[in-house]
Amino acid sequence: NAGVTQTPKFRILKIGQSMTLQCTQDMNHNYMYWYRQDPGMGLKLIYYSVGAGITDKGEVPNGYNVSRSTTEDFPLRLELAAPSQTSVYFCASSSWTGDNQPQHFGDGTRLSIL
Amino acid sequence: KQEVTQIPAALSVPEGENLVLNCSFTDSAIYNLQWFRQDPGKGLTSLLLIQSSQREQTSGRLNASLDKSSGRSTLYIAASQPGDSATYLCAVRNSGYALNFGKGTSLLVTP
């Protein structure tokens, strides 16, 4: 069981470039999330989705966009990369939002913007 | 806004010791609390989840407790091993969808 898969694992971008971080899960989870982790800080929610076609902003959405066309995939797009977006990005999923449902995380994408 | 604090930020213990990691949170109206393990350069592995109605959860050598009224949780690791060396993250979920994370405790278990 692959769980949550993120690609790429590493990427270096130049300022102003764009890219899409891919996330797919094979657990048939309705809920998916994107977090970022800055050095020495806790993870912060960027965007989340409660099902195909439905997305909403989290705590730090500026500079990002998401889409959810299928249950399995939840890509995160950076349109104009800025140095402040250098971070580690984690995708997560959960089956529903009951209090006994853990969030399952991918291995992360390490992004540097120079 | 929920604030989650983890103490200590770093901990070094000799192999075999029992240890306690602490997590405190400011808003006691939580749905659940999760403890994660993060190895360097890796993702997060869920260790234990405690529902708001529960007081503790156990998995192997790990025991997590929850005291909502005081806004505290502890993760107890028995008979620590070098393989336990990692960063341990506490995350609290309130009424929304996001997990609110602490900054973690970096644990080093020396042989």
Side-chain angles (χ1 to χ4, degrees):
Chain A
N1 191 343
V4 179
T5 302
Q6 294 184 236
T7 57
K9 295 188 183 303
F10 304 93
R11 183 73 183 267
I12 297 174
L13 282 182
K14 294 181 179 179
I15 296 171
Q17 288 186 321
S18 61
M19 77 163 292
T20 299
L21 283 66
Q22 301 291 346
C23 175
T24 188
Q25 51 90 11
D26 62 359
M27 298 174 281
N28 201 32
H29 284 171
N30 287 324
Y31 296 84
M32 297 187 74
Y33 317 84
W34 274 105
Y35 292 87
R36 61 177 286 174
Q37 184 180 35
D38 297 324
M41 304 296 290
L43 281 75
K44 294 192 181 298
L45 184 67
I46 304 171
Y47 271 94
Y48 66 94
S49 170
V50 302
I54 306 170
T55 63
D56 209 345
K57 297 177 180 179
E59 184 179 358
V60 289
N62 291 344
Y64 308 95
N65 281 298
V66 293
S67 60
R68 184 93 181 271
S69 58
T70 66
T71 299
E72 295 78 18
D73 300 309
F74 189 38
L76 177 72
R77 183 154 180 88
L78 284 69
E79 291 293 351
L80 290 171
S84 62
Q85 294 176 306
T86 294
S87 190
V88 182
Y89 292 84
F90 289 100
C91 180
S93 72
S94 63
S95 60
W96 67 299
T97 58
D99 65 355
N100 64 342
Q101 295 301 311
Q103 291 188 15
H104 302 268
F105 283 75
D107 285 343
T109 294
R110 283 146 187 84
L111 180 62
S112 294
I113 299 166
L114 306 175
Chain B
K1 183 180 183 294
Q2 179 72 273
E3 299 289 341
V4 180
T5 303
Q6 291 187 246
I7 295 173
L11 182 63
S12 180
V13 300
E15 181 177 7
E17 275 203 7
N18 303 324
L19 58 99
V20 174
L21 307 181
N22 296 292
C23 173
S24 62
F25 47 94
T26 55
D27 183 352
S28 61
I30 68 171
Y31 273 19
N32 60 40
L33 183 147
Q34 258 183 282
W35 282 95
F36 292 90
R37 169 184 174 137
Q38 185 176 26
D39 292 286
K42 298 293 186 182
L44 280 66
T45 300
S46 181
L47 298 173
L48 290 164
L49 180 147
I50 310 177
Q51 299 170 241
S52 60
S53 59
Q54 297 175 327
R55 294 299 300 267
E56 66 176 351
Q57 282 284 343
T58 298
S59 176
R61 293 183 294 108
L62 305 179
N63 175 277
S65 68
L66 174 64
D67 184 344
K68 279 200 311 178
S69 61
S70 66
R72 296 180 185 275
S73 176
T74 61
L75 179 65
Y76 175 82
I77 302 176
S80 58
Q81 303 170 357
D84 294 330
S85 299
T87 296
Y88 291 81
L89 298 171
C90 170
V92 174
R93 184 169 160 247
N94 291 96
S95 58
Y97 297 99
L99 290 176
N100 298 284
F101 282 84
K103 295 180 181 180
T105 294
S106 178
L107 174 64
L108 177 64
V109 181
T110 56

